[in-house]
Amino acid sequence: MTHDHDLVLRPTEAQTAAALAPPPGRTGGDLVVETLRSLGATTVFGLPGQHALGLFDAVGRSDLRLVGLRTENNAGFAADAYGRITGEAVPLLLSTGPGALMALPALAEAAAASAPVLAISSQVPVAGLSGGRRGHLHELRDQSASFRDVVKSVHTARTPSQIPSVVAEAWESALTAPHGPVWVEVPEDVLRAETIIPQVTGMDATPHELAPRPELTALAAHWLSSAERPVIIAGGGVVRSDAAGKLRQLAERLGAPVVTTFGGKGAFPWTHPLSLQSWLEDRHMTDFLEDADVLLVVGSGLGELSSNYHTFFPTGRVVQIEADLGKLESNHPALGIHADARLALQALLETVSEREDPAAPERVRLVLDDIEARLAGQDVSLERSLLASIRSALPARSPSFWDMTILSYWAWSAFDAKHPNTMHSAQGAGGLGYAFPAALGACVAEPGTPVLAVSGDGGAMYSIAELATARQHDLDVTWLIVDDGGYGILREYMTQSFGSATATELTRPDFAALAASFDVPATTTTPESLASDLKKALATPGPSVVVLPALLKMFAPTHL
């Protein structure tokens, strides 16, 4: 009788021969690269630095594609988007100290949005890892401590032999639900040291499946099947787990209306009779959700933006499916199901009874009509027309990336994403400068597909150097910059709260002329010509910039 633990994978003759005669001159950096290639990586993002040169030298001698951006934070945003678009773990290569710390905001966004970024940083030589202060350039007292509270897991390789296992362990962590960024450190002398360790082949880093407990899904299915007014809130977890199809099947089987969070845009068809769209910052929607006798929350923690700034208080039963244990029942008591959204929705589909509710589409129509009537009473036709122009110009399958700017805040509620995983923003962590470098990462992930980035003039200044990256790699990105002369959303918030705004007015460049200096074609547009100018830019290969001078405003607060 043979037991599984008795089985040993024996090397082939070719593997044995390769192990006995590895190529000369290989280093710890080569072990990192070989492990990444063995795990399936084809593309890496990052910037070289003094301690990381041994790693970048190995990348340069490999067939990995290296996409170098101009700042570490922007490289992190690009890697984040590549991971969101492909669902693959994506390496982000960083150097010690300042270079590593520059990536913190990007990794915070990746953590909030569950993007599988594999951050690999150099470290000071091994002798400097003991906690002492040896005076190495870029030395931090405890570099990994700076990242431990941001990323999913931290991994350190102190010897060449540890590198393959450490990188594979981190890769598995990044891709186990909930996806997220992980941190790997390798000291400079380990990256540079020659090694006799055989070439890395056949690495395995299989993510763990997070399946729901059957007794919980059985109870949830019973509640949903017998509910009178079931409603579904679909969050980013539905998109990340590629579960939009299963969500639609469940909603139709239950006759349950669906609203998507801002992170879940595209998870449910915008024009479906059961679609409540994404108007979560509207009191009419909040009231409708509160009235549900069973509320199914899938892949959302019901945080600040998804709960209309914590003014949402469910009155019925709540079922929450969430892969991030820390978010489970963090804001509302619920039947908490710790599981991947796709697996949990499949379990519900196998268990729920079909439910007839011919009145559900009418209830959806009435709440959307109430929202429309409220908007019609405000002077927001300019903002709504701009979104319509963008939607008409952008191909249905093209990804769009939105910075923290007024037009993006509108898009969260009012933009039809058309398909899952095509609309992304920085609303997870809320940092500026996300849109353009993230769009570059999407261009690398889907070559030949035009990609749109939308920024305000304030956020654009965080990313302007990446026009050089876009030109260098001839990426098919169109960057829409809405120029209102400052930090528009902060100007509005401060004026509303304090009567005047401070430090929100900005001196800025002529964005069209600046883009031209990078050899990137640019045009200054108007609200009337935006659709045609965007359509032309998106259809033109390579990067382009469209500048829209406009002073926009938000719709009236609806959480009061």
Side-chain angles (χ1 to χ4, degrees):
M1 182 176 180
T2 302
H3 299 280
D4 287 345
H5 59 262
D6 294 327
L7 297 176
V8 177
L9 292 177
R10 300 188 182 279
T12 64
E13 290 185 9
Q15 287 174 321
T16 300
L20 294 175
R26 289 167 59 254
T27 65
D30 288 289
L31 292 174
V32 175
V33 169
E34 290 166 8
T35 305
L36 292 175
R37 289 294 292 118
S38 184
L39 290 169
T42 60
T43 303
V44 298
F45 295 84
L47 281 75
Q50 179 173 322
H51 290 154
L53 294 180
L55 176 56
F56 278 80
D57 172 67
V59 170
R61 291 184 281 102
S62 76
D63 61 353
L64 284 171
R65 180 183 184 185
L66 170 61
V67 182
L69 285 89
R70 298 310 193 263
T71 72
E72 290 82 358
N73 198 48
N74 289 339
F77 284 145
D80 166 305
Y82 187 99
R84 294 194 201 193
I85 293 294
T86 64
E88 301 169 2
V90 53
L92 169 65
L93 309 184
L94 303 166
S95 193
T96 316
L101 294 175
M102 280 282 285
L104 266 172
L107 293 176
E109 177 58 39
S114 297
V117 177
L118 186 75
I120 302 176
S121 173
S122 60
Q123 248 290 22
V124 297
V126 172
L129 297 182
S130 59
R133 304 288 283 175
R134 299 173 64 91
H136 290 289
L137 185 68
H138 306 324
E139 183 180 52
L140 297 172
R141 185 176 293 112
D142 184 353
Q143 179 172 278
S144 65
S146 301
F147 296 85
R148 198 175 301 278
D149 195 45
V150 173
V151 299
K152 278 187 69 178
S153 55
V154 169
H155 313 260
T156 302
R158 292 173 177 265
T159 66
S161 63
Q162 293 178 355
I163 287 174
S165 295
V166 163
V167 172
E169 183 182 64
W171 184 280
E172 183 176 305
S173 175
L175 288 175
T176 294
H179 292 179
V182 296
W183 183 255
V184 177
E185 289 185 350
V186 188
E188 177 190 23
D189 49 347
V190 177
L191 289 170
R192 286 177 172 267
E194 289 200 20
T195 180
I196 62 169
I197 294 174
Q199 284 185 287
V200 181
T201 59
M203 289 300 297
D204 181 29
T206 305
H208 302 297
E209 284 204 332
L210 188 56
R213 288 166 45 198
E215 73 274 15
L216 296 178
T217 53
L219 180 56
H222 172 70
W223 286 357
L224 290 165
S225 300
S226 56
E228 292 184 4
R229 299 178 310 282
V231 181
I232 300 173
I233 298 178
V238 176
V239 176
R240 298 288 160 263
S241 63
D242 194 22
K246 294 186 186 300
L247 172 68
R248 178 172 180 169
Q249 290 180 55
L250 183 65
E252 291 175 347
R253 188 170 299 178
L254 293 171
V258 178
V259 62
T260 61
T261 70
F262 306 149
K265 297 284 289 186
F268 196 73
W270 190 257
T271 57
H272 192 285
L274 293 172
S275 176
L276 292 163
Q277 300 177 0
S278 300
W279 285 100
L280 286 170
E281 290 188 44
D282 188 283
R283 192 68 229 175
H284 295 299
M285 185 66 69
T286 306
D287 292 342
F288 184 89
L289 296 174
E290 288 180 342
D291 184 57
D293 60 341
V294 178
L295 185 69
L296 174 62
V297 184
V298 189
S300 171
L302 291 183
E304 183 178 25
L305 298 181
S306 301
S307 62
N308 204 357
Y309 299 90
H310 296 301
T311 63
F312 164 60
F313 302 102
T315 59
R317 288 168 165 163
V318 178
V319 177
Q320 184 185 14
I321 297 167
E322 176 57 56
D324 187 338
L325 192 59
K327 294 179 180 178
L328 200 63
E329 295 189 69
S330 61
N331 287 304
H332 299 282
L335 176 66
I337 301 177
H338 184 215
D340 174 80
R342 179 179 55 82
L343 298 178
L345 287 171
Q346 180 60 39
L348 290 177
L349 280 169
E350 293 170 357
T351 316
V352 295
S353 304
E354 190 154 353
R355 183 183 163 279
E356 295 289 338
D357 187 359
E362 177 64 11
R363 292 193 297 124
V364 168
R365 188 188 65 79
L366 288 174
V367 72
L368 292 179
D369 284 350
D370 286 340
I371 293 169
E372 178 61 33
R374 180 185 62 77
L375 290 170
Q378 303 176 42
D379 182 19
V380 291
S381 57
L382 170 61
E383 292 77 5
R384 301 186 76 184
S385 71
L386 294 179
L387 285 184
S389 294
I390 294 172
R391 182 65 277 171
S392 68
L394 186 67
R397 294 283 182 180
S398 281
S400 60
F401 292 83
W402 303 70
D403 218 332
M404 300 295 284
T405 188
I406 287 179
L407 194 58
S408 301
Y409 286 33
W410 269 96
W412 293 348
S413 293
F415 190 74
D416 176 5
K418 293 292 184 188
H419 295 283
N421 209 26
T422 58
M423 180 180 172
H424 304 273
S425 70
Q427 55 93 20
L432 273 177
Y434 170 80
F436 188 57
L440 300 185
C443 289
V444 176
E446 292 192 345
T449 299
V451 179
L452 175 68
V454 181
S455 301
D457 57 290
M461 291 302 292
Y462 279 63
S463 313
I464 208 75
E466 304 309 338
L467 283 169
T469 303
R471 180 75 283 164
Q472 181 174 340
H473 296 280
D474 277 331
L475 299 175
D476 288 328
V477 62
T478 294
W479 192 7
L480 172 61
I481 301 174
V482 182
D483 185 355
D484 65 2
Y487 298 123
I489 191 66
L490 299 179
R491 177 197 292 140
E492 185 163 319
Y493 284 165
M494 287 192 75
T495 302
Q496 289 173 356
S497 298
F498 305 105
S500 62
T502 301
T504 60
E505 306 310 303
L506 299 174
T507 298
R508 69 274 191 206
D510 179 335
F511 285 106
L514 184 56
S517 73
F518 287 92
D519 195 26
V520 173
T523 185
T524 300
T525 191
T526 65
E528 294 74 24
S529 59
L530 175 61
S532 58
D533 286 339
L534 266 185
K535 191 170 185 178
K536 179 181 177 181
L538 286 161
T540 303
S544 58
V545 170
V546 177
V547 183
L548 173 66
L551 188 62
L552 308 182
K553 63 181 180 180
M554 284 300 295
F555 46 80
T558 57
H559 53 272
L560 304 178

